[in-house]
Amino acid sequence: MHMKTEIRVPSILHIGGGAFAEAGPLLVRLHCKRPLIVTDPFLRKNRLAETLQNQILQAGLRCAIFDQTVADPTSEVVEVGVRVYREGGHDSLVSLGGGSPIDTAKAVGILATNGGKLRDYKVPHPIPLAGPPHVAIPTTAGTGSEVSRFTVITDTETGEKMLIAGGVLVPTAAVVDYELTLTMPARLAADTGTDSLTHAIESYVSRKANPFSDALALAAMKTIWHELPLSVRGPANLQARENMMLAATQAGIAFSNASVALVHGMSRPLGAHFHIAHGLSNAMLLPAVTAFSVEAAIDRYAECARTMGFAQPGDSPQIAADQLVRALHRRNAELEVPTPQQYGLDEEQYLAMVPTMAAQALASGSPQNNPRIPTAEEIETLYRQVWQ
Ligand SMILES: [Fe+2]
């Protein structure tokens, strides 16, 4: 197979139990002197941010904490972060948390360096200059943000969940320590794990897939399919949490280098307008969008089914792909994923928002990576189809 593509990954990945303790020495190796920790109030309260700060201080660096990041990070919070970064004379960023603090730190970095407003860098606009060194430390498994070239920030003025993309957004280094995920409650483990599964499947069927991303996507989906239910059921299942953490990172590298597709394109507006956790809005869409897309890349979807183990090697691609769609529906039931209706959304509001969501999905560019490229009308139909 021929391939000509640019692969971006963090230059250092510290992976494994106990890797968290390496953060201080890692910053020294990267010649950072005054890192700013970007985290959320929860991780401040449970003192994980303080533990990190102490490790960094012990490594001989000066360090402060910005703990105001919010779920579905906003341009307003990013601008506050930029002020704190500048006023503190910081030279580097350490993000600690789920996708939100990591995405916030990426956005702080590019605004601190390039100035302007975040919407200036929204896809398809380029980001001119790289931000300062950024060490990302995820506490979920996971959004893959610690290894990806994307950040998603909601524009406070318009309510739009903006996709911002560029190789310069890939963190300099990532510390991937599954021990930080042991306190994840079941719902969070299910939602972030389904996000990872979506990354793996979407990067494998993406029109921008390549042999490098394919290998990681297949390895990740195989692990996630088997380990996610175990990881959700028992946080004490160390092996499942460790396997999920590695797979989430692999899926993150895969989608960062192959792009996501229609599920993510539709999930961002749905999450933004109705305040649904990212992994959950992905899950609401994944089976229906897969059923819609199968015909355009049937061999690829069949390979997903075989890799995850619910199609026999002798099954025709059509049968294997059908099994995939059925398995995704079953998995949603098992993980108690609600439909938008069951989630409690107002039907009138939801239906009224469908055209706007479809337009925003298309504008993000992600649906154009889908094997079957949808029209606005087809996206609208899919939104209505998943309602109940
Ligand atoms: Fe995602």
Side-chain angles (χ1 to χ4, degrees):
M1 194 188 289
H2 298 289
M3 150 170 122
K4 185 171 175 296
T5 188
E6 180 183 293
I7 303 298
R8 291 273 191 132
V9 291
S11 60
I12 302 171
L13 285 168
H14 264 295
I15 298 179
F20 184 56
E22 302 296 323
L26 181 56
L27 286 158
V28 173
R29 280 167 65 195
L30 294 172
H31 306 291
C32 304
K33 296 200 164 51
R34 298 183 78 152
L36 176 66
I37 296 173
V38 176
T39 190
D40 62 31
F42 175 77
L43 293 169
R44 177 66 167 247
K45 206 164 146 236
N46 82 359
R47 304 180 77 97
L48 190 64
E50 197 182 325
T51 304
L52 176 61
Q53 185 181 34
N54 287 335
Q55 286 174 18
I56 295 172
L57 294 174
Q58 275 163 19
L61 309 180
R62 294 176 68 181
C63 176
I65 300 176
F66 173 66
D67 66 2
Q68 293 168 44
T69 69
V70 292
D72 295 328
T74 61
S75 53
E76 189 179 23
V77 169
V78 170
E79 283 170 16
V80 176
V82 171
R83 267 205 304 283
V84 171
Y85 181 86
R86 286 200 177 126
E87 283 165 10
H90 294 284
D91 65 356
S92 48
L93 293 155
V94 183
S95 54
L96 175 71
S100 299
I102 300 175
D103 277 8
T104 302
K106 289 177 177 180
V108 167
I110 56 167
L111 268 201
T113 304
N114 293 282
K117 291 276 183 190
L118 268 180
R119 72 176 73 95
D120 302 339
Y121 309 108
K122 184 174 96 170
V123 167
H125 301 293
I127 304 165
L129 299 171
H134 173 198
V135 175
I137 310 177
T139 58
T140 64
T143 65
S145 185
E146 72 279 3
V147 290
S148 89
R149 64 176 90 195
F150 304 103
T151 180
V152 179
I153 305 288
T154 301
D155 190 324
T156 307
E157 281 165 43
T158 65
E160 183 189 357
K161 239 180 177 180
M162 301 181 289
L163 176 65
I164 301 169
V168 295
L169 288 178
V170 176
T172 319
V175 174
V176 181
D177 185 342
Y178 76 93
E179 290 175 4
L180 303 183
T181 72
L182 296 182
T183 52
M184 269 197 302
R187 186 74 259 159
L188 185 62
D191 292 345
T192 53
T194 305
D195 186 26
S196 301
L197 179 68
T198 311
H199 295 154
I201 295 175
E202 290 214 284
S203 49
Y204 190 69
V205 302
S206 165
R207 285 170 180 265
K208 294 183 185 156
N210 56 72
F212 180 89
S213 58
D214 284 351
L216 289 162
L218 290 172
M221 73 179 76
K222 184 174 184 177
T223 303
I224 296 166
W225 188 262
H226 291 287
E227 302 290 332
L228 180 55
L230 302 172
S231 159
V232 169
R233 255 178 257 134
N237 189 339
L238 294 184
Q239 195 60 56
R241 292 266 162 139
E242 181 170 13
N243 294 344
M244 277 300 297
M245 192 61 161
L246 178 62
T249 300
Q250 290 173 319
I253 295 174
F255 90 81
S256 180
N257 291 287
S259 291
V260 284
L262 183 55
V263 179
H264 272 77
M266 291 179 64
S267 175
R268 282 185 291 264
L270 181 58
H273 294 294
F274 297 104
H275 305 288
I276 303 170
H278 171 65
L280 194 59
S281 55
N282 280 348
M284 289 172 176
L285 295 159
L286 182 59
V289 172
T290 302
F292 169 83
S293 309
V294 153
E295 63 173 44
I298 193 142
D299 290 332
R300 289 243 144 195
Y301 284 105
E303 187 59 30
C304 291
R306 285 190 284 267
T307 299
M308 291 188 265
F310 38 76
Q312 303 305 316
D315 287 345
S316 71
Q318 185 65 56
I319 287 175
D322 290 347
Q323 296 283 22
L324 171 65
V325 173
R326 268 198 289 274
L328 293 174
H329 279 294
R330 272 203 313 275
R331 176 56 59 85
N332 270 7
E334 188 184 353
L335 295 180
E336 297 175 354
V337 173
T339 62
Q341 183 186 44
Q342 291 160 347
Y343 191 72
L345 303 190
D346 179 84
E347 185 168 7
E348 225 169 282
Q349 264 182 9
Y350 179 85
L351 293 176
M353 194 52 84
V354 162
T356 307
M357 292 195 294
Q360 290 181 344
L362 275 177
S364 75
S366 302
Q368 287 79 352
N369 304 325
N370 207 55
R372 180 174 168 192
I373 299 177
T375 63
E377 291 70 33
E378 285 169 331
I379 295 180
E380 291 184 17
T381 303
L382 282 166
Y383 275 127
R384 284 191 282 267
Q385 201 184 318
V386 300
W387 163 250
Q388 59 176 9

